[in-house]
Amino acid sequence: MLLQTRPVFRVLALSQRRFQSTAPRARIIYEGGLSKAAKVMKLASVASLVGASAAIPFFFLGDSDVPQAARTILAVTTLGMTGSSTAIVAWALKPYVTAIRTLDDAIGPQTPLLVDTMTLLAQRRRRLVFPEQLAPATLPLTSWMVREPSDELAAKAQEILSLVNGRTGKVAVARAGDVFYAHTQGELGTEMQQIIAASPCQHTQKAD
């Protein structure tokens, strides 16, 4: 029985090696200069909201001359202020790009990019997008808005996901309407310049 199972293990090992050799390798081409600060701000805002929520019961404990209505107003005000500040930080930093990785050596309109942002709890959120989908955004604190992909790009994205998921972390396809904020002004690396040149942002600027 042991002799029969050995060929099976060999086939599995060979299949895994083939997958590792054919799966694309992601290389980082951009890192957000404020990534660490953005992560600290997100965690601090969530921590302040949790702390304020935990302190609410203490407004109503103990003997005091403060009326119950006043205590309620203080509690609601405290929770509202911390909640609103957390919401503002989450909204402002939601599109902030902490890193961009590419799966190809050359960068063109249909080069697959893995774009990293952060969730509310500062966990990494990685999405697959192509430069030709990165249209200029008009919202505050945004650089790009994702456009609807063509049928060809949508099929290519699904094929890439089957190869990269599990190797580069959990990856999802960027949806139309998603927004990203990256540092696209000032001194830029060669790859970042190529992304901008391959995106509709560049074409729009030339038309203007």
Side-chain angles (χ1 to χ4, degrees):
M1 185 67 179
L2 181 60
L3 294 177
Q4 293 178 351
T5 57
R6 284 181 178 175
V8 176
F9 288 121
R10 290 177 182 174
V11 171
L12 292 175
L14 180 60
S15 300
Q16 184 177 12
R17 290 172 187 169
R18 287 178 179 175
F19 172 78
Q20 292 176 347
S21 61
T22 58
R25 296 182 179 274
R27 63 184 181 88
I28 191 164
I29 58 175
Y30 168 85
E31 287 184 291
L34 300 176
S35 297
K36 292 183 178 179
K39 184 174 183 178
V40 171
M41 287 181 64
K42 272 183 169 283
L43 292 176
S45 65
V46 173
S48 65
L49 179 60
V50 173
S53 301
I56 292 300
F58 293 97
F59 284 93
F60 304 96
L61 297 178
D63 296 330
S64 176
D65 295 334
V66 180
Q68 190 73 11
R71 297 187 186 191
T72 303
I73 292 174
L74 287 173
V76 171
T77 302
T78 301
L79 192 59
M81 291 180 64
T82 54
S84 60
S85 64
T86 300
I88 292 173
V89 170
W91 169 80
L93 297 179
K94 182 179 180 181
Y96 188 79
V97 175
T98 58
I100 299 177
R101 292 171 171 80
T102 182
L103 300 174
D104 291 343
D105 293 332
I107 297 178
Q110 295 191 0
T111 299
L113 303 175
L114 302 180
V115 181
D116 293 349
T117 55
M118 289 184 291
T119 65
L120 177 63
L121 298 179
Q123 299 298 308
R124 184 180 66 192
R125 183 185 182 192
R126 179 167 291 175
R127 281 168 284 182
L128 172 65
V129 72
F130 300 90
E132 73 174 39
Q133 292 181 265
L134 299 177
T138 57
L139 298 173
L141 299 177
T142 58
S143 304
W144 300 314
M145 177 175 288
V146 178
R147 302 193 306 183
E148 192 74 35
S150 63
D151 293 340
E152 178 186 357
L153 277 188
K156 183 178 180 180
Q158 293 302 321
E159 180 182 352
I160 293 172
L161 283 186
S162 65
L163 295 175
V164 301
N165 262 325
R167 287 178 56 86
T168 59
K170 185 178 179 181
V171 183
V173 177
R175 298 177 298 180
D178 285 351
V179 291
F180 298 116
Y181 175 70
H183 300 287
T184 57
Q185 304 294 329
E187 187 175 350
L188 303 174
T190 302
E191 291 88 353
M192 193 60 174
Q193 294 178 14
Q194 292 172 346
I195 292 174
I196 295 174
S199 69
C201 297
Q202 182 70 12
H203 305 323
T204 302
Q205 291 173 357
K206 288 181 178 180
D208 294 339

